[in-house]
Amino acid sequence: MDVRAELVEGRRAIPRLGRLVEVNRAHPPYATGAEVKPVTAFLRDLALGDSSPLTCRSYGYGMLRWFRLLLCTLQPDGLSCLRRLPA
């Protein structure tokens, strides 16, 4: 059975790797626990575009879910850098 079907049927869990933390700066107000430069750059640009800090938080969590899903569905060695992120 493929990974997508296992996820939909609840027979496979998405790994709980990575995190989003509030930081003491305005741009960006949220960052990944272990810095992922493209994500930090995106959140900074979003914050500088006059978005609410909660919008940055929401987008950050959305990207975290996306990377977790990628980790689950791609080849194990394809995203090995995410495995090193603290939970």
Side-chain angles (χ1 to χ4, degrees), residues 27-43:
H27 307 294
Y30 292 89
T32 53
E35 185 178 11
V36 178
K37 289 184 182 184
V39 172
T40 301
F42 175 78
L43 293 176

Side-chain angles (χ1 to χ4, degrees), residues 20 26-31 37-63:
L20 191 71
H27 307 294
Y30 292 89
K37 289 184 182 184
V39 172
T40 301
F42 175 78
L43 293 176
R44 182 181 58 243
D45 290 346
L46 190 63
L48 289 172
D50 203 26
S51 294
S52 162
L54 295 178
T55 299
C56 296
R57 179 177 179 250
S58 178
Y59 274 71
Y61 277 116
M63 285 188 284

Side-chain angles (χ1 to χ4, degrees), residues 16-19 32-36 39 64 67-68 71 79-87:
R16 305 281 303 191
L17 299 174
R19 63 184 172 171
T32 53
E35 185 178 11
V36 178
V39 172
L64 181 59
F67 278 108
R68 286 176 175 170
L71 179 65
L79 292 174
S80 60
C81 63
L82 287 180
R83 292 189 190 281
R84 294 190 301 266
L85 294 177

